[in-house]
Amino acid sequence: STPLIIEEKIVGSVRLNSNKPNMFLPDDLRLLDIISNLASVSLENAFLYTRTKELAIRDSLTGVYVQKFFKDRLAEEVARSLRSDYPTSILLLDIDFFKAYNDKYGHAAGDIVLKKVAGVLVESVSDSGDIVARYGGEEFAVILANKSRSEAVEFAEIIRKKVEAEIFILRREETKVTISIGVATCSEDAKICQDLIKAADDALYKAKKLGRNCVATK
């Protein structure tokens, strides 16, 4: 038996077994060592490839998907939605007065806010096909597959209330954070990805004009 080692950690082992005693010689063990070393290198390369692939589609700060992945997935969902005649909704949400947190508590505190809001979104999204992405600096986007506009608005209200109820500790000071959310649905609001994103963005702008900390549709 010989271990499989990656980054000084044992991740498995390679074993030779025989029903008969004294079947293996020292040369067999040396060969087994060579095989396990080659296997370890192959496994490490596979792990590195997977990690690199994840980094390409995940935001390094929040762990949610990046904007490009969101747009690629949205194109797939919109095509599927039009082909199968079922709705796909998206949310665009913005952290209210985010710059004020950075100015008052520092950029490290702003990062805490972003990570915690992202965590609330990820915990709330559970259906297969639904994803959360970081769309911009303090903006997030959510794809809600097979959800109508009314269902998407209801979901948006749930996460808005969840964020509002969270307590954020910034520089040892308790504070609250709110979000504004714009909702758009294919094909009710648009049948093209760019137009759907524009409709959600218009709805988000509307939510901000209504006083923030609310959900709006186009």
Side-chain angles (χ1 to χ4, degrees), residues 115-125 158-159 162-163 166 168:
K115 286 192 278 190
K116 197 158 185 178
V117 169
V120 171
L121 296 175
V122 171
E123 286 171 10
S124 302
V125 170
I158 289 169
I159 60 174
K162 279 186 178 180
V163 171
E166 285 284 332
F168 291 74

Side-chain angles (χ1 to χ4, degrees), residues 1-66:
S1 176
T2 184
L4 295 171
I5 300 173
I6 297 177
E7 295 179 355
E8 299 182 356
K9 293 179 181 178
I10 297 174
V11 297
S13 64
V14 180
R15 288 183 54 155
L16 288 177
N17 296 312
S18 175
N19 293 327
K20 297 179 181 179
N22 303 316
M23 281 298 295
F24 302 119
L25 302 172
D27 283 345
D28 295 320
L29 183 58
R30 280 193 286 273
L31 180 60
L32 196 61
D33 274 337
I34 292 169
I35 292 170
S36 71
N37 285 337
L38 291 171
S40 295
V41 171
S42 297
L43 280 172
E44 186 171 15
N45 287 338
F47 290 154
L48 283 172
Y49 173 77
T50 303
R51 224 177 293 160
T52 303
K53 195 175 178 183
E54 275 293 303
L55 287 171
I57 62 173
R58 296 274 185 181
D59 176 57
S60 58
L61 176 66
T62 61
V64 299
Y65 292 106
V66 297

